[in-house]
Amino acid sequence: MTRTDAHRPSAIKPSDYEFVAIFQHDLDAVEAGWLQAQAQADFDSHMSCHPGAQFSQHSHGGVCMVCGNSNALTTAVFYHPASNVYVRMGQDCAAKVEMGVDSLFRRARTEAEALRLARAGKLRAQALLREAGLEQAWAIAQETDEQVRRGYKYEEATICDIVSKLVRYGSISEAQTGFVRKLLGQIDARAQRQADYMARHGGSQHVGVIGDRHSFNVTIRFVKGFESAFGMLFIHVMDDQQGNVIVYKGSKELGEKGANLSLVATVAEHGEREGVRQTVIKRPKVA
């Protein structure tokens, strides 16, 4: 059948068309991901500015609406203002009629190949971790909830780094698997410590009025000193007799862990850490 439409190869004039977006057709849904999403967003944005526009209805017989090739893997969508239609064109046709988008096709193919390699690397990494009994490490590395990831500490961050290298290079040593297993154990222990801490201190309340001097009877649960730019700094975490958490950070060492103290201090702040209310004090004086 002889074609008479305006989009047949011999009739195309590049100046009559506007480039809209590049689409990749040989990627699965997971690989295509953001590539297709971006292309679709560009296309939807263009279409919203051209009421009534639709794909040309001319007979072409394939994916490429110019030559009819059904095997086109990468296509560009062009807009034809004169007829208010879109035309999908394969890479070969776009090059032959000199549409001027060769670099965009090359970039799309490069990005598609990178996605395929990343997908293969992820599948291999997931299989290796599963074989080693480290599925939890994969789950940590693939977490997509930004709020959860903001709570990651050293252990989770290190696991993410190791897993990303496994995806990239395709192998993990016995020493690395052992280290990941240790990190996972530390995460579990941390969760248990937090649960125990909440069980003991979940009912902690703020004490006193900010700015006032207040009397405290406390037990030191944690104390650590270290050098700072201004000399020694000591951090004390204490409980009062009602189970409220009292924190002091300053130049004084109030006592050793387990020591019971009576002191007077200024209430500096009513804060909260990891879901537990705590009262921060300053200028303490042990009775």
Side-chain angles (χ1 to χ4, degrees), residues 224-239:
K224 183 175 182 179
F226 54 90
E227 288 281 355
S228 73
F230 305 99
M232 287 297 295
L233 178 67
F234 296 93
I235 298 176
H236 302 72
V237 180
M238 302 167 283
D239 300 340

Side-chain angles (χ1 to χ4, degrees), residues 63 72 127-128 170 228 243 275:
V63 177
L128 288 173
S228 73

Side-chain angles (χ1 to χ4, degrees), residues 193-205 219 221 237-240 242-246 273-278:
R193 286 196 303 273
Q194 178 63 15
D196 293 343
Y197 184 71
M198 286 299 294
R200 292 195 306 270
H201 303 294
S204 176
Q205 300 296 319
T219 300
R221 300 300 183 191
V237 180
M238 302 167 283
D239 300 340
D240 69 8
Q242 288 72 44
N244 302 311
V245 178
I246 312 298
R273 181 172 182 177
E274 297 181 351
V276 174
R277 295 184 182 89
Q278 58 183 24

